[in-house]
Amino acid sequence: ARCFKHEDKHPSLVLMPEVNHFECKSCGAKGDVIDLISEMKHLELKDALDYLDPNYKPIKLTAQEFLKKRGLTEETITRFKIKDEGDSIEIPLPTGIKYRKINPVGKEERYYQKAGTRACIFKTAEAHNKIIITEGEFDAMLMWQTSNYPVWSFSTGAATDGKKFMDDFKDMEKIF
């Protein structure tokens, strides 16, 4: 289809209903059906949800419910010093503190960092020759909890410039 985000002379918008996703191969716009409705109808998130389902009522999670839903055990939460900060969950990093908003509103960011926190590698354990890399800290903790394998993730996700962390990987024989 033609993309709604830019003047698209050659259709570049790919709709993937089987995975509830869209992506423009030209400008990079992407998201789920809620993002699509929000963008096309110029609606805030709540209004897009109302448009899709007028009977929609958002579910508010507590920190404990969020962590349980993610599959993390009390032992894992304690090991990684995860804290309930009311509307956010505190994740200690080697370079500072990262927070995950539990119930973000509208286009509010889900993740934010304490001032001065720098990008780093979140490591569930030191590794000698093999590691698993995941997208985020909660995924890393869950994978470690499940496998007891060293699992790492970049604190700023895919936006991290991995080149500055190359020394951490120099002795790795296998990276999953």
Side-chain angles (χ1 to χ4, degrees):
R2 294 189 194 283
C3 182
F4 53 88
K5 291 286 279 184
H6 70 281
E7 192 173 314
D8 197 2
K9 294 182 178 138
H10 306 286
S12 58
L13 184 70
V14 179
L15 301 171
M16 299 168 270
E18 64 282 352
V19 293
N20 189 26
H21 193 77
F22 73 90
E23 182 174 351
C24 177
K25 298 300 183 179
S26 180
C27 75
K30 60 184 173 182
D32 60 21
V33 68
I34 300 166
D35 297 318
L36 182 66
I37 294 297
S38 181
E39 292 286 343
M40 291 186 74
K41 299 280 186 185
H42 307 289
L43 299 171
E44 291 295 321
L45 175 66
K46 180 191 174 307
D47 298 323
L49 290 168
D50 286 342
Y51 177 87
L52 289 166
D53 182 0
N55 298 316
Y56 171 76
K57 300 284 184 271
I59 298 170
K60 298 278 187 186
L61 297 175
T62 65
Q64 289 303 318
E65 290 168 333
F66 176 86
L67 294 168
K68 184 177 181 182
K69 188 175 173 185
R70 292 298 300 250
L72 299 177
T73 65
E74 281 300 320
E75 293 81 14
T76 299
I77 293 166
T78 301
R79 182 184 194 283
F80 293 103
K81 299 177 175 76
I82 304 304
K83 293 182 186 169
D84 179 349
E85 292 294 327
D87 66 343
S88 299
I89 297 170
E90 181 180 294
I91 308 163
L93 299 174
T95 59
I97 304 290
K98 182 175 180 177
Y99 298 93
R100 190 340 175 147
K101 273 241 182 255
I102 301 169
N103 300 296
V105 178
K107 294 193 182 270
E108 181 178 30
E109 291 293 326
R110 290 184 297 161
Y111 289 95
Y112 61 100
Q113 296 181 357
K114 187 173 185 176
T117 301
R118 297 178 324 281
C120 65
I121 300 177
F122 175 83
K123 299 177 180 181
T124 61
E126 287 301 323
H128 302 290
N129 59 0
K130 296 178 185 175
I131 59 162
I132 298 172
I133 296 179
T134 62
E135 183 178 7
E137 295 84 7
F138 291 123
D139 296 330
M141 288 181 250
L142 183 60
M143 181 64 75
W144 171 84
Q145 173 184 292
T146 305
S147 68
N148 204 28
Y149 211 81
V151 186
W152 297 359
S153 70
F154 293 107
S155 65
T156 52
T160 303
D161 178 9
K163 291 177 186 148
K164 66 182 182 180
F165 300 109
M166 290 307 289
D167 283 347
D168 288 89
F169 297 92
K170 70 180 178 199
D171 296 325
M172 296 298 159
E173 294 173 19
K174 193 157 217 150
I175 300 173
F176 299 96

